[in-house]
Amino acid sequence: MSSAAEKSRRNSETAAPEDAGDVAVAAPKPTPRRNDSASLAKEIAEKLTYAIGKDPATARRHDWLEAVTLAVRDRIVDHWLASNSRNVQSGAKRVCYLSMEFLIGRLLRDAIINLGLSEAVRDALSAYDVDIDLLETLEPDAALGNGGLGRLAACFAESMASVGIQGFGYGIRYVHGFFRQEIVGGEQVELPENWLAHGNPWEFERRERSFEIGFGGKVTTIEEAGKPPRQVWRPAERILAVAYDTPVVGWKGTRVNTLRLWSAQALDPILLDAFNSGDHIGALLEANRAQSITQVLYPADSHLAGQELRLRQEFFFSSASLQDIIRHHLKRNGGDLSTLPDKVSIQLNDTHPAVSVAEMMRLLVDVHGLGWDESWDITKRVFSYTNHTLLPEALETWPVNLFERLLPRQMQIIYAINAQIIREATQKGLDGAKVSAISLIDEGSGRRVRMGSLAFVGSHAINGVSALHTELMKKTVFNQFHELYPERIQNKTNGVTPRRWLLECNPGLTDLVTEAIGPGFKDDITKISGIDKLADDAGFREKFMAVKLANKQRLAKTIEERLAITVDPTAMFDVQVKRIHEYKRQFLNLVETVALYDQIRSHPEIAWQPRVKIFAGKAAPSYANAKQIIHLANDVARVINADPSVQNLLKVVFLPNYNVSLAELIMPAADLSEQISTAGLEASGTGNMKFALNGALTIGTLDGANVEMLEHIGEDNIFIFGLTAAEVAARRAEGQSGREIIDASPILKGALDSISHGVFGEPGRYNNLVDNLYGNDWWMIAADFEAYWQTQRRLDALWQDSDAWGTKAVRNTARMAWFSSDRSIREYAKDIWDAPTSV
Ligand code: 26V
């Protein structure tokens, strides 16, 4: 048996709860486990011996990691069982968060800190001369997501457990998560990621919790005397969805929720007839086809490639989750589905699970025999939908003919919903053009199903992820729907969990804040505002900046190890890390970098401040311009770092393979956070929040949550520049080219000329990027350059005054509490889910 399979088997046989989230009997008495270091040391040794079969003398580091994980896991399971039995007893509303992505990263440190075991584990291991910090870095990242949307789902899952909500995450157990990025010859190369290669001690396979998922086939109408006709879907293909549960540990372990990820398996793992007749390959084909559904995460965050496999993934996990939700509800609520909306809320994380609206209707009407109107009422009260992007190319639509072939009954239901919506709209007096804008079918470009519209009409609440984004939703994508249903769109500004993004990633700052104001902020992050008054206290500020310096030294060491680039930790660390996308404008940052390089050389008399420009991020494999930007970043780094004339003033670093763990290293080490998207394009951003919480100053546009950060942090402590969203829209409408602006700016022109004339790689390599600016400056790079440049120079001046910089850095940390995902989740619970907290 493979080690992964073996590990799963072990998990299903050991201390795992019978059925996470669904225990019928009273809570089993948890084994009282002691959390002192001696008890932990003993248990870790026991795990090493009896679960892994090694003794301390022969154990490798990975064996120790597994032993510690299993010892910590036992404690989690105790809390998990207790939470599950409380769930049954309280009968409180369950919140089900449906997301194609959960970018959770490593789990061991998160669990140790949330359970308050840091000291005990460290001491227990030091008895064996093992370093817990080192072990933690051996755990693979669970990279089951692309970027912001997936990481938000992970922060929300942790916050739901921390604020006491009965939360369930539902997603996909991808065998291969987000690709690993290497840089070869300056260019991105994608390599497969294999996080399950050595097994996954955090997951518990639940074979008993599996559901059949159909595809294709036919719909037949059944007519029975005295009854209305019924539709029955007979799929041509059936696949099994098997649950794998991972515990989600909340702060102090008071609640442990469940993340349930579905894995696709064949109903018949092997076709015996085929096998026996000698067709050994053919006998396995069906299993392979079934399993392919959950093999790999699609590595794009815009530009729907439109593959059938993606739609299969979406339906597969939606149907499995809904069947599970309904099964659970029937069991706990006397078989009565009319109370479903009182007991369950389902949040759709973007449109990826939007087919759930049609599938819920099928399950209620066809399978459970409810009437259409009642089912529609239940559906709308149960679902709510979060929109995460306004980019037109990222708004999902599927060809009607593909939908019809793969999901014939769901397509019929979508038509029926559409007819109803159009009727409602016409009754309210909407004219033809407006009616076609709200149709679920886009008739324009070869009939397609609009998934955003389906999610909208099937939900009682639709939310944007920042105040600005929400207003733009009302004015743009959902304008007609907003006119028709003005009460539905709400704002829920994103947040990040302060456990992972402060306590875990920045222990130095956590200790300093504890020393200054006590540990209360760990329970309630709003208390961190207590350090605001210390921003003018020179002693505190010095300590604050000393912590920052230590974090920068740690990052400098990683840069040296991975890239053999030496950076000065006392230089300003100016950081832009995020997915690579034209709208996020890494190119603007690179043009400014090149301009700075030119100016430093031509004006040595100016007091330039030493900077390290740090970039990291992945490009979608098919996104040519984004890959060019990565290439340019690496070319620029190569040339500048080799030029002795700017050595101590400018270094450029592109750190490969940006992921959650790298983010945890980078965020605490940044002085300056680059949040410079073209205004109106970044829905919220969450990296912006992580940086500021860790004391970085922000240079940014009035976009996404930056707008609200400005309100909370105060205009003296954040550096805003550039066109507003309204100005961008106006310039775009005029089709403004960048030529005049470039010709009028010698600094910008000089930088663009160096880029296109071959200073950084062969001439012409970056023509595409540069020529775009002269033609239609769509991303407003030329338009915003001057304001960006001037703002960077103001930051240079500020950097010289380290007291003033330090004061602002402290204020950033002090004033970011509102951007905790605990606050976001409480708002969802109150305004959208009507779900209790602290259960
Ligand atoms: C779209 C697509 C399109 C088809 C291919 C696969 C795929 C995967 C993901 C997406 C949606 C990406 C949207 C997204 O990540 N939005 C980000 O959401 C963050 C959390 O709300 C927010 O902070 C970012 O501003 C926003 O870009």
Side-chain angles (χ1 to χ4, degrees):
M1 200 184 299
S2 76
S3 90
E6 193 175 332
K7 186 105 15 101
S8 290
R9 182 182 54 76
R10 246 198 336 254
N11 287 352
S12 8
E13 285 168 5
T14 52
E18 218 326 83
D19 177 5
D22 186 23
V23 181
V25 292
K29 287 260 178 297
T31 328
R33 271 166 220 281
R34 303 183 41 166
N35 288 340
D36 57 289
S37 62
S39 309
L40 264 160
K42 183 165 160 285
E43 281 182 52
I44 292 169
E46 265 173 30
K47 295 293 183 195
L48 195 64
T49 311
Y50 296 108
I52 295 150
K54 294 269 180 88
D55 61 34
T58 57
R60 298 164 313 135
R61 292 183 311 187
H62 281 90
D63 300 322
W64 282 108
L65 169 64
E66 193 171 348
V68 177
T69 302
L70 293 176
V72 170
R73 196 184 74 172
D74 281 354
R75 284 160 175 76
I76 296 174
V77 169
D78 288 341
H79 291 288
W80 203 7
L81 289 170
S83 298
N84 290 338
S85 89
R86 275 210 314 278
N87 293 349
V88 174
Q89 276 149 21
S90 83
K93 196 167 192 181
R94 295 151 51 93
V95 174
C96 302
Y97 199 85
L98 265 59
S99 179
M100 288 277 271
E101 307 190 4
F102 285 92
L103 190 44
I104 51 187
R106 292 180 180 142
L107 293 181
L108 181 57
R109 179 187 288 242
D110 192 53
I112 289 177
I113 292 209
N114 274 357
L115 293 178
L117 296 175
S118 311
E119 293 303 311
V121 170
R122 185 173 303 280
D123 293 349
L125 282 171
S126 66
Y128 304 105
D129 207 15
V130 173
D131 176 8
I132 180 64
D133 294 330
L134 194 140
L135 290 191
E136 284 169 353
T137 65
L138 302 176
E139 183 183 349
D141 266 45
L144 308 183
N146 268 285
L149 166 150
R151 183 54 234 176
L152 187 78
C155 281
F156 278 8
E158 196 269 356
S159 273
M160 281 199 253
S162 290
V163 307
I165 287 179
Q166 249 199 71
F168 279 77
Y170 278 105
I172 295 180
R173 180 183 180 271
Y174 301 104
V175 174
H176 301 287
F178 198 29
F179 68 81
R180 195 158 56 80
Q181 178 196 56
E182 279 189 10
I183 302 298
V184 178
E187 295 187 80
Q188 168 173 298
V189 173
E190 300 101 31
L191 296 159
E193 183 282 345
N194 205 5
W195 70 299
L196 295 171
H198 301 287
N200 174 10
W202 297 111
E203 68 183 9
F204 293 88
E205 183 183 358
R206 304 282 181 225
R207 284 239 134 238
E208 74 285 5
R209 202 47 76 228
S210 56
F211 297 94
E212 277 186 36
I213 312 297
F215 290 103
K218 296 227 154 19
V219 180
T220 43
T221 308
I222 309 274
E223 315 246 11
E224 285 171 67
K227 289 189 183 166
R230 282 191 307 125
Q231 307 299 322
V232 177
W233 176 30
R234 301 195 197 286
E237 191 184 345
R238 288 172 200 275
I239 285 163
L240 207 58
V242 178
Y244 283 72
D245 288 350
T246 299
V248 180
V249 184
W251 176 238
K252 290 196 166 159
T254 35
R255 163 164 286 278
V256 177
N257 283 335
T258 300
L259 172 61
R260 179 161 282 181
L261 302 179
W262 300 105
S263 176
Q265 292 180 23
L267 284 175
D268 292 320
I270 195 156
L271 295 179
L272 268 186
D273 288 348
F275 194 82
N276 291 337
S277 65
D279 181 9
H280 296 174
I281 302 297
L284 291 169
L285 277 181
E286 193 189 337
N288 288 343
R289 184 175 154 77
Q291 284 165 8
S292 70
I293 292 187
T294 51
Q295 278 300 305
V296 56
L297 166 80
Y298 272 95
D301 60 351
S302 56
H303 292 279
L304 181 73
Q307 285 105 336
E308 177 175 332
L309 185 60
R310 168 91 184 176
L311 181 57
R312 281 174 169 265
Q313 288 184 334
E314 293 184 355
F315 179 71
F316 167 82
F317 104 101
S318 296
S319 178
S321 308
L322 296 185
Q323 291 186 59
D324 193 34
I325 290 165
I326 290 177
R327 173 203 63 81
H328 180 274
H329 180 81
L330 290 173
K331 190 162 150 204
R332 294 269 161 261
N333 296 278
D336 179 8
L337 277 173
S338 72
T339 56
L340 190 69
D342 307 324
K343 294 291 177 182
V344 181
S345 280
I346 304 178
Q347 190 70 32
L348 303 174
N349 198 23
D350 218 285
T351 55
H352 315 153
V355 67
S356 294
V357 170
E359 176 67 352
M360 177 65 96
M361 287 298 286
R362 184 188 73 84
L363 292 168
L364 295 178
V365 175
D366 297 0
V367 178
H368 295 281
L370 272 64
W372 178 273
D373 290 344
E374 185 186 9
S375 300
W376 186 234
D377 178 62
I378 292 173
T379 297
K380 278 189 298 191
R381 285 163 60 210
V382 164
F383 284 114
S384 42
Y385 151 56
T386 306
N387 173 278
H388 294 269
T389 180
L390 302 174
L391 282 182
E393 63 271 31
L395 294 178
E396 277 189 300
T397 61
W398 290 104
V400 165
N401 55 16
L402 168 63
F403 223 105
E404 236 152 26
R405 176 162 60 75
L406 216 56
L407 303 167
R409 178 56 183 147
Q410 290 76 6
M411 190 66 234
Q412 286 182 345
I413 290 171
I414 289 170
Y415 281 133
I417 297 171
N418 200 29
Q420 190 170 320
I421 298 297
I422 288 174
R423 226 172 17 247
E424 263 176 53
T426 320
Q427 275 160 12
K428 288 191 183 174
L430 256 67
D431 64 25
K434 289 186 172 178
V435 167
S436 69
I438 59 142
S439 172
L440 301 186
I441 312 295
D442 178 359
E443 308 279 353
S445 35
R447 312 191 70 228
R448 300 175 77 92
V449 184
R450 292 169 164 150
M451 302 307 276
S453 307
L454 179 61
F456 193 111
V457 300
S459 297
H460 64 281
I462 293 89
N463 75 285
V465 290
S466 72
L468 174 65
H469 168 64
T470 305
E471 286 316 301
L472 293 173
M473 271 168 70
K474 292 180 187 170
K475 289 193 193 128
T476 61
V477 266
F478 293 126
N479 183 241
Q480 292 310 324
F481 281 117
H482 180 55
E483 230 175 75
L484 205 53
Y485 308 105
E487 72 298 342
R488 284 202 200 174
I489 298 183
Q490 313 187 14
N491 176 235
K492 292 288 165 279
T493 299
N494 285 168
V496 300
T497 166
R499 271 73 62 189
R500 184 173 292 260
W501 297 111
L502 181 61
L503 311 194
E504 291 160 32
C505 72
N506 203 341
L509 184 53
T510 304
D511 289 347
L512 176 64
V513 175
T514 309
E515 179 194 306
I517 60 167
F521 74 100
K522 298 184 186 179
D523 296 327
D524 173 3
I525 191 67
T526 63
K527 297 209 169 99
I528 204 168
S529 63
I531 65 166
D532 208 341
K533 61 179 184 300
L534 300 174
D536 293 316
D537 174 332
F540 181 78
R541 220 167 37 214
E542 267 163 36
K543 287 185 194 162
F544 191 95
M545 293 315 280
V547 167
K548 180 64 79 184
L549 181 63
N551 292 334
K552 288 166 71 178
Q553 283 161 340
R554 195 171 58 153
L555 179 59
K557 188 161 164 278
T558 301
I559 292 171
E560 180 83 57
E561 283 164 6
R562 296 198 188 165
L563 297 167
I565 299 173
T566 307
V567 297
D568 173 6
T570 66
M572 185 202 298
F573 279 17
D574 168 349
V575 187
Q576 188 172 22
V577 292
K578 47 181 78 239
R579 286 301 292 265
I580 310 292
H581 205 295
E582 286 161 286
Y583 85 78
K584 294 178 188 279
R585 298 201 295 190
Q586 284 93 353
F587 187 45
L588 174 60
N589 189 349
L590 286 166
V591 173
E592 195 266 343
T593 305
V594 170
L596 183 58
Y597 175 54
D598 291 343
Q599 294 299 305
I600 291 174
R601 285 180 304 159
S602 49
H603 294 285
E605 74 286 1
I606 293 179
W608 302 105
Q609 294 304 299
R611 278 200 196 222
V612 183
K613 288 257 189 187
I614 299 172
F615 295 86
K618 294 175 184 176
S622 62
Y623 190 171
N625 282 357
K627 291 183 135 177
Q628 282 287 85
I629 291 169
I630 292 178
H631 198 176
L632 177 62
N634 283 284
D635 270 348
V636 167
R638 180 176 46 75
V639 172
I640 293 181
N641 297 343
D643 186 340
S645 64
V646 293
Q647 273 300 302
N648 56 345
L649 292 177
L650 187 59
K651 282 271 164 77
V652 183
V653 172
F654 185 95
L655 272 165
N657 202 35
Y658 184 58
N659 60 11
V660 173
S661 293
L662 194 53
E664 287 168 16
L665 185 68
I666 292 174
M667 300 294 171
D671 295 303
L672 184 63
S673 154
E674 299 267 356
Q675 307 301 334
I676 60 175
S677 51
T678 315
L681 275 288
E682 188 69 271
S684 160
T686 45
N688 46 2
M689 302 169 187
K690 296 163 196 165
F691 278 112
L693 180 61
N694 284 279
L697 310 193
T698 300
I699 180 167
T701 45
L702 278 177
D703 201 13
N706 296 354
V707 177
E708 290 148 274
M709 283 172 56
L710 164 67
E711 286 162 18
H712 285 263
I713 297 172
E715 62 180 3
D716 290 344
N717 304 303
I718 186 167
F719 291 79
I720 298 294
F721 73 94
L723 299 174
T724 62
E727 288 163 350
V728 169
R731 284 185 88 96
R732 278 187 170 184
E734 290 165 15
Q736 187 93 18
S737 88
R739 181 169 301 280
E740 276 172 41
I741 301 169
I742 297 167
D743 288 342
S745 164
I747 294 185
L748 173 58
K749 176 125 187 23
L752 293 176
D753 284 351
S754 327
I755 292 172
S756 48
H757 296 167
V759 176
F760 308 98
E762 72 205 36
R765 180 179 283 172
Y766 299 110
N767 274 356
N768 194 27
L769 292 178
V770 173
D771 292 351
N772 279 346
L773 305 194
Y774 282 94
N776 186 352
D777 182 22
W778 185 248
W779 306 107
M780 305 290 144
I781 286 174
D784 271 345
F785 179 80
E786 181 63 19
Y788 182 53
W789 173 265
Q790 292 303 341
T791 309
Q792 290 284 24
R793 304 294 70 83
R794 278 171 57 212
L795 282 154
D796 277 342
L798 182 66
W799 184 254
Q800 283 178 277
D801 182 350
S802 54
D803 287 345
W805 186 287
T807 300
K808 292 184 200 303
V810 173
R811 293 212 193 287
N812 268 265
T813 298
R815 297 177 182 186
M816 279 301 290
W818 190 79
F819 297 91
S820 161
S821 44
D822 296 351
R823 188 270 313 152
S824 313
I825 282 298
R826 288 200 177 95
E827 287 184 8
Y828 277 87
K830 179 168 156 292
D831 303 335
I832 298 183
W833 303 328
D834 192 21
T837 49
S838 303
V839 293

